[in-house]
Amino acid sequence: MVLKDISLEIRQGEILAVIGPSGAGKSTFIRCLNGLEKVDKGSVTVDGQPVTSFTSVAGRMGMVFQQFNLFPHYTAIENIAAPLRTIKNMPRTRARDRAAELLESVKLADKASQYPSTLSGGQQQRLAIARALSMSPDIMLFDEPTSSLDPELAHEVFDTIQTLARSHMTLVLVTHQMNMVKNFATRVLFLENGGIFFDGTFEDLTSATDPRIRQFLKKIYP
């Protein structure tokens, strides 16, 4: 997917929702932000520092994927503690204590010794969020975090993201869930054919008269 005409600033504490039809470049956009996709032209910077690779922003950006990407051979607590030891060089006891705190924060304290395969989809996604938070990022990126979940399990993840929103952390949400956009976003991007078609508030989006936006909203937000 080729992105074009993407020029914007994401401000600290902003909650940016990225919406648009399939193939519009939403996932490519968010993967460019944290260096998972190479930028062939132009640049991405965080506080003036260029993003050249995923490792160049390690610890600054946390990423939560649609498919969880948990370590299947680790328990819930080790999914968090192991990266703290290997990436942050945290002592084993301290890493376990920090992992336990994060599990508590996403309401999974009682699942510490369980493996991902024994957890529900909503629990796995909350564990993935806790693991991303373990790096103490300034920015959290979410790529369709609830698209593979049924509504009840998705609600569990909504609650966790809402807690992050209240903490004034900078969030970027790629989503088709318009209730998430309505409830959380301070700003909305509508991507179309690799470019920004709309940049504004949710209220401006829903009152827009542009036929393309009206057509899109009619399908996913009647």
Side-chain angles (χ1 to χ4, degrees), residues 7 18 33 49 62 64 66-67 71 76 82 86 88 111 141 145 147 150 152-153 160 163 178 184 211 217 219:
S7 177
V18 184
L33 293 184
Q49 299 299 313
V64 178
Q66 178 180 339
Q67 299 300 330
F71 302 123
T86 57
K88 294 239 172 188
K111 308 296 183 184
L141 310 177
S147 63
D150 65 41
E152 185 175 6
L153 297 179
T160 302
T163 300
M178 293 304 290
F184 302 147
L217 291 179
K219 291 180 179 178

Side-chain angles (χ1 to χ4, degrees), residues 140-159:
M140 281 287 285
L141 310 177
F142 294 86
D143 191 3
E144 297 281 6
T146 62
S147 63
S148 62
L149 305 177
D150 65 41
E152 185 175 6
L153 297 179
H155 187 72
E156 299 175 0
V157 179
F158 288 162
D159 285 346

Side-chain angles (χ1 to χ4, degrees), residues 81 84-85 88-97:
L84 286 173
R85 293 195 303 269
K88 294 239 172 188
N89 295 316
M90 195 175 287
R92 179 174 294 274
T93 300
R94 187 180 168 198
R96 293 274 297 189
D97 289 345

Side-chain angles (χ1 to χ4, degrees), residues 1-18:
M1 179 70 208
V2 177
L3 298 179
K4 57 186 179 181
D5 303 326
I6 299 286
S7 177
L8 76 155
E9 177 184 359
I10 302 172
R11 295 174 288 275
Q12 183 176 0
E14 194 164 45
I15 303 172
L16 178 68
V18 184

Side-chain angles (χ1 to χ4, degrees), residues 160-178:
T160 302
I161 295 174
Q162 189 170 41
T163 300
L164 295 178
R166 291 188 187 125
S167 72
H168 305 294
M169 176 179 282
T170 305
L171 307 179
V172 181
L173 307 166
V174 171
T175 183
H176 282 106
Q177 298 289 338
M178 293 304 290

